[in-house]
Amino acid sequence: MPLGMLDTTLEDGMEILPGKAFGYGMNHESIVRGEYHNPAYSIGAGGMVSNCSDLYKWYLCLKDRKLLGSSTYSRFFQENVNGYCYGLFKDYMYGKPRFYHDGAYLGIGAYMQSFFEDDICIMVLCNYDFVNYFRVGNAISELIFTGKAEVPQKLVEIVLDEELAEKYEGVYVKNRAELRRVHHRWEFVHLGRFHKPLYPIGNHQFQSTWLDKSYILKGCEDGEFEFIGLRKQIDS
């Protein structure tokens, strides 16, 4: 490989990859392995395996522009109307251009920020889905550029009106997505077997008990709601 990224590959599920981490998540209050998938069908989205050392080589390649021609790099870093370049988002943080990308797949999370002008590369890789790696990465960049970072706060739980609670609760896709109450506590049941505890925080939002993540229910014209983009199909 031109960049010496010897620990980076597209996984097909057949090769033995020494040191490869498995993805983990939360089910009720227990840590479990991430749900099964066949890597042969992942291709680029979820199929690439790498580590911090190799990703830093990739960062240096982009910073120094040493692999391709100058016109190619100019095109690569040119953002479109959505602020997206060829594989990277671009915005401005702390008055500086920032190139970044994040992703998550079945218990694996990754977030990379590149401040090429300051030669700063920030990477967060994790193999469990109950940490907000996006917030962690932004806190690191905030510490570097401002000397301080926002401390996450636990959001306050509210008591829902019963009529509203009944509109929220139900099966949105059978055996895949259900919002239910169990012993006066809420949970999001994913794929019929992963139980993710939640609690209401107001404004049609639920906060994950274990993950720094909120879920917003979108109101529909008929007074019903969408949960994770889905309409309720069967009442609980």
Side-chain angles (χ1 to χ4, degrees):
M1 295 182 180
L3 301 180
M5 297 173 64
L6 302 180
D7 291 317
T8 300
T9 186
L10 286 176
E11 185 180 15
D12 61 6
M14 298 177 64
E15 300 295 328
I16 296 175
L17 304 178
K20 179 181 178 294
F22 291 102
Y24 295 87
M26 294 292 293
N27 187 27
H28 294 298
E29 298 183 7
S30 300
I31 298 175
V32 297
R33 283 278 294 271
E35 57 200 83
Y36 171 79
H37 74 289
N38 187 339
Y41 296 100
S42 297
I43 314 177
M48 192 185 83
V49 177
S50 190
N51 57 24
C52 286
S53 178
D54 270 13
L55 289 176
Y56 185 64
K57 294 174 184 177
W58 171 245
Y59 160 79
L60 291 176
C61 172
L62 294 180
K63 180 179 75 72
D64 299 333
R65 305 189 179 196
K66 60 185 181 182
L67 185 64
L68 305 174
S70 59
S71 61
T72 303
Y73 278 114
S74 296
R75 184 176 182 182
F76 180 87
F77 288 114
Q78 181 63 48
E79 69 268 30
N80 59 25
V81 294
N82 296 315
Y84 194 73
C85 305
Y86 279 78
L88 293 171
F89 291 101
K90 180 182 179 181
D91 63 5
Y92 290 85
M93 295 290 290
Y94 319 107
K96 304 173 183 294
R98 177 183 71 155
F99 295 86
Y100 68 97
H101 211 296
D102 69 296
Y105 190 63
L106 305 181
I108 300 293
Y111 181 37
M112 185 171 177
Q113 301 173 84
S114 298
F115 296 87
F116 295 116
E117 291 184 355
D118 295 87
D119 193 14
I120 292 175
C121 175
I122 301 168
M123 289 177 278
V124 179
L125 304 181
C126 60
N127 65 323
Y128 42 87
D129 67 2
F130 44 94
V131 167
N132 190 330
Y133 56 88
F134 195 82
R135 185 190 289 272
V136 172
N138 286 343
I140 293 173
S141 61
E142 191 174 6
L143 282 170
I144 291 173
F145 288 105
T146 72
K148 59 183 179 180
E150 180 184 358
V151 178
Q153 303 292 324
K154 181 176 175 60
L155 299 176
V156 177
E157 182 175 1
I158 68 165
V159 177
L160 284 176
D161 173 79
E162 181 59 28
E163 181 179 354
L164 188 59
E166 290 179 358
K167 287 188 175 182
Y168 291 160
E169 187 176 17
V171 175
Y172 289 79
V173 174
K174 187 176 181 181
N175 297 324
R176 293 194 64 85
E178 181 179 356
L179 191 58
R180 67 161 69 147
R181 285 179 286 183
V182 180
H183 303 303
H184 306 291
R185 306 300 297 176
W186 288 87
E187 63 180 21
F188 165 32
V189 184
H190 184 222
L191 299 179
R193 59 194 181 98
F194 291 97
H195 299 256
K196 304 176 182 293
L198 309 171
Y199 63 90
I201 58 175
N203 296 320
H204 307 311
Q205 295 186 68
F206 283 82
Q207 178 69 22
S208 171
T209 301
W210 299 114
L211 174 65
D212 183 10
K213 174 182 175 61
S214 61
Y215 297 85
I216 301 176
L217 285 95
K218 179 183 177 181
C220 303
E221 292 183 357
D222 60 2
E224 297 298 320
F225 290 89
E226 289 184 355
F227 176 61
I228 58 172
L230 303 167
R231 289 289 298 261
K232 187 166 60 174
Q233 298 180 346
I234 304 172
D235 291 334
S236 297

